[in-house]
Amino acid sequence: MRRHAFCDDALGESDATEVAERIAAGEISAVEAIHAAIARARSIQPRLYPLQVTDFERAIRTAAAPKRGAFAGVPTAVKDNCAVRGLPTGFGSASYRPGRARRNGDFIDQFLATGAIPIGKSRLPEFGLDATTEFGHAEPVRNPWDPTYSAGGSSGGAAALVAAGVLPFAHGNDGAGSIRIPAAACGLVGLKPTRGRTVAELNERRMPIRIVSQGVLTRTVRDTARFYAAAETYRRNPRLPPIGSVTAPGVRRLRIGLIVDSLPGIHTDAETCASVLATADLLTELGHRVEPAELPVGADFLGDFTLYWAMLTSLLLLQGRRAFGTSFDRERTENLTRGLAVIYRRRARETPAALYRLRQVRHAYAAMFDRHDVVLSPVLAHTTPELGYLSPAIDADTLMDRLIRYVAFTPLNNAAGSPALALPLHRTVNGLPLASHFSARHGDERTLLQLGYELEAARPWARIQDPDQPGNT
């Protein structure tokens, strides 16, 4: 059932770092790399539907004289909720007709300063609200490991492009797990950085609590590390410790807290639980000290986070014509979008108390690292679902209950503003990737990346293109 585009062309099986190095050494040209990515995209698009907008001709022109940078000439894609000059920004919605952007978004300038060249924009669920990239009246983004399963969300199109080998890496962003969830579903490395680590987009800066962070999805830890080192050369936040160049595992043995279950009433399924315990065993074998830990938030946390999510959605619908133009029609939005607005109307009076508690999460989260250097948990409370299970077309109350029971771990880092890393260390019984989740104190991406290097070397994750993996076609 697998669908991938790896082949013997200019990109081969290289990650983004190797592609950049081969271009710099003159082994291949940036134009050849872009042509290879375009050919791969054309072969995969009718199977997985990961691209929303293509920009092939401009990519070829840009490749003739690429910018300098860590990823000079490397093909990539931008998620379709950030502006790229000359391209429309659709936010995954059929509710309006997007015009072409006059300038890049603020983070996209930082992203493209690495020298990477976008071949287009990747798909996301409407306004990034769902944990799967599905739609009521359009083809979903399909998981390259098995197209009957979700590719995750909201950066599902980006994850499918990278996992299927169309691109070595791609832009994503994370407001409740939207980098880490698709990374887990598609077998990728997904780092949500500390709040303020990368340049914020305008809509992020306007949020009462900034829960969204910009980043990338990659196939290797070194690509993720290389991106953040490059991003710091463009702009480094002086209020955060620098990440710097991370090129190898750390020497220090870590105190690692272990959390298997999320909040009361939300249980981790047996397969996911077993995978996290196996990761804990591996860490112990590597000399780290693993001990039980507890979530620093109570049973009301997910309710507060859901209310905040619903509030942002309600404001989006109220201001839709101002934000998206006169063509915006809220009746053309997905059931989930309208349902979240209804949920907010039911609970609007709770907003001040919920916002207060969410602002305190940072302090409770920080206290967890008085005893631990890193905290290990599942990324998600159960394995990747089949398409349809989280479809935005189903009843909103039913869908929200399913989302809460699925996305039980990732929102904590968004509320706290802390870094977290998803690594695809295991596989399910039916061959899909199964990831573990690592959280660290504010500003300590460096420790997460060093640990990621160590785990990648100790237990290399499955590659979709390997013929000896079960289910390969």
Side-chain angles (χ1 to χ4, degrees):
M1 293 292 289
R2 295 186 188 186
R3 299 290 184 268
H4 69 77
F6 286 100
C7 60
D8 186 18
D9 59 10
L11 293 176
E13 298 187 356
S14 300
D15 66 358
T17 297
E18 186 174 7
V19 172
E21 290 172 346
R22 292 172 63 209
I23 291 172
E27 294 179 20
I28 61 171
S29 69
V31 172
E32 289 173 318
I34 293 298
H35 275 295
I38 291 170
R40 292 182 178 201
R42 285 175 170 150
S43 72
I44 284 296
Q45 183 67 12
R47 302 177 179 187
L48 304 179
Y49 306 99
L51 281 168
Q52 177 65 33
V53 177
T54 61
D55 198 17
F56 296 163
E57 291 184 4
R58 180 164 59 170
I60 294 169
R61 291 197 304 271
T62 303
K67 290 182 180 178
R68 294 181 179 180
F71 294 115
V74 178
T76 190
V78 172
K79 187 175 175 181
D80 193 27
N81 60 356
C82 288
V84 174
R85 183 181 57 82
L87 296 181
T89 306
F91 287 90
S93 181
S95 63
Y96 71 102
R97 295 187 300 276
R100 296 182 181 274
R102 295 180 179 178
R103 59 179 295 274
N104 293 334
D106 293 333
F107 169 76
I108 300 307
D109 279 335
Q110 183 179 32
F111 179 68
L112 298 182
T114 65
I117 300 172
I119 66 166
K121 301 186 80 176
S122 63
R123 295 174 79 202
L124 67 153
E126 184 169 72
F127 304 121
L129 297 174
D130 209 342
T132 185
T133 308
E134 298 181 51
F135 310 89
H137 303 287
E139 281 283 349
V141 174
R142 298 179 179 274
N143 193 317
W145 291 80
D146 185 335
T148 64
Y149 281 80
S150 169
S154 63
S155 305
L161 286 164
V162 178
V166 175
L167 301 170
F169 82 124
H171 161 243
N173 40 43
D174 192 313
S178 293
I179 286 175
R180 293 161 288 159
I181 294 166
C186 295
L188 302 174
V189 177
L191 174 63
K192 175 220 162 299
T194 302
R195 180 184 295 144
R197 175 67 72 186
T198 51
V199 175
E201 291 284 296
L202 178 62
N203 57 349
E204 299 165 43
R205 298 196 295 271
R206 290 174 172 171
M207 290 182 175
I209 301 173
R210 278 180 51 193
I211 58 173
V212 176
S213 294
Q214 303 289 337
V216 293
L217 293 105
T218 72
R219 294 194 294 269
T220 61
V221 173
R222 71 172 183 170
D223 280 358
T224 298
R226 187 181 179 98
F227 168 76
Y228 284 99
E232 283 189 328
T233 66
Y234 178 88
R235 178 265 196 187
R236 187 179 78 77
N237 187 338
R239 292 176 292 180
L240 293 174
I243 299 174
S245 177
V246 184
T247 59
V251 175
R252 180 169 62 104
R253 298 300 84 186
L254 304 173
R255 302 167 300 164
I256 298 179
L258 172 62
I259 296 173
V260 175
D261 281 314
S262 182
L263 301 171
I266 301 176
H267 300 292
T268 304
D269 73 0
E271 199 169 3
T272 302
C273 180
S275 72
V276 173
L277 293 176
T279 299
D281 289 342
L282 175 59
L283 289 164
T284 301
E285 292 171 11
L286 293 170
H288 302 285
R289 189 175 76 198
V290 180
E291 56 191 16
E294 294 183 0
L295 279 173
V297 292
D300 58 358
F301 169 72
L302 284 178
D304 290 343
F305 195 89
T306 300
L307 178 62
Y308 182 57
W309 202 242
M311 183 195 80
L312 295 176
T313 306
S314 182
L315 290 172
L316 182 150
L317 290 180
L318 287 172
Q319 300 174 2
R321 290 174 70 85
R322 180 187 302 174
F324 305 116
T326 57
S327 67
F328 177 78
D329 180 358
R330 63 179 294 159
E331 296 306 313
R332 296 180 62 193
T333 59
E334 301 277 11
N335 281 0
L336 174 59
T337 305
R338 297 193 304 274
L340 280 166
V342 171
I343 289 170
Y344 184 66
R345 286 198 296 271
R346 292 178 195 158
R347 299 180 54 199
R349 66 174 67 90
E350 303 172 40
T351 302
L355 289 178
Y356 174 80
R357 288 190 294 266
L358 286 173
R359 289 190 175 105
Q360 302 311 305
V361 165
R362 173 175 179 145
H363 306 295
Y365 177 92
M368 189 165 56
F369 293 90
D370 292 340
R371 292 186 55 193
H372 310 296
D373 300 306
V374 170
V375 171
L376 164 66
S377 74
V379 178
L380 298 150
H382 62 77
T383 57
T384 302
E386 292 183 88
L387 290 169
Y389 180 75
L390 298 175
S391 169
I394 67 177
D395 172 74
D397 287 326
T398 300
L399 178 53
M400 285 306 302
D401 181 67
R402 291 179 179 181
L403 284 170
I404 288 170
R405 294 180 183 280
Y406 181 48
V407 185
F409 293 93
T410 53
L412 174 61
N413 302 90
N414 299 89
S418 56
L421 176 66
L423 296 177
L425 291 165
H426 307 283
R427 299 178 68 203
T428 67
V429 292
N430 59 1
L432 291 174
L434 185 52
S436 294
H437 191 248
F438 303 86
S439 300
R441 58 176 53 88
H442 289 81
D444 197 15
E445 288 93 334
R446 187 175 182 87
T447 293
L448 291 178
L449 290 167
Q450 289 174 333
L451 183 59
Y453 269 109
E454 185 175 10
L455 291 169
E456 185 178 23
R459 182 168 294 168
W461 28 90
R463 305 192 315 163
I464 197 171
Q465 70 270 35
D466 287 347
D468 59 341
Q469 298 292 343
N472 192 59
T473 58

